[in-house]
Amino acid sequence: MNTSSPSIPADVAAHVLWSEGLGGYPAGSFTTKLLDAWASADNANAARLAVGWPEYAAAFALMQQPGGVAQLRSIASRQVTA
């Protein structure tokens, strides 16, 4: 992630982890549906979602980086902020 990426709140990290079956905790019904849509989106539609929900985009991007899942878990447990 670069320095211009939005910060990732603990709840966002937890929701993204949960949506991928990697821990965290579930979101509310709207956010759960949003994350389901994100999971099935192609790159163009994922980019559109990122405009409205940049924190979730940052969390998904972090998850793809080496050590990203561990960082998201740390954020979700409120040990660090990204």
Side-chain angles (χ1 to χ4, degrees), residues 35-63:
L35 296 173
D36 287 344
W38 217 306
S40 62
D42 58 20
N43 288 339
N45 286 309
R48 289 182 177 138
L49 291 170
V51 171
W53 294 275
E55 298 87 0
Y56 283 96
F60 277 113
L62 178 58
M63 190 171 50

Side-chain angles (χ1 to χ4, degrees), residues 5-79:
S5 294
S7 65
I8 301 170
D11 61 335
V12 169
H15 297 160
V16 169
L17 288 166
W18 180 267
S19 76
E20 299 297 313
L22 298 169
Y25 54 83
S29 61
F30 174 82
T31 303
T32 297
K33 290 176 183 177
L34 173 68
L35 296 173
D36 287 344
W38 217 306
S40 62
D42 58 20
N43 288 339
N45 286 309
R48 289 182 177 138
L49 291 170
V51 171
W53 294 275
E55 298 87 0
Y56 283 96
F60 277 113
L62 178 58
M63 190 171 50
Q64 301 305 315
Q65 301 301 315
V69 171
Q71 282 186 271
L72 281 178
R73 287 179 175 144
S74 182
I75 294 166
S77 67
R78 299 186 190 276
Q79 293 175 5

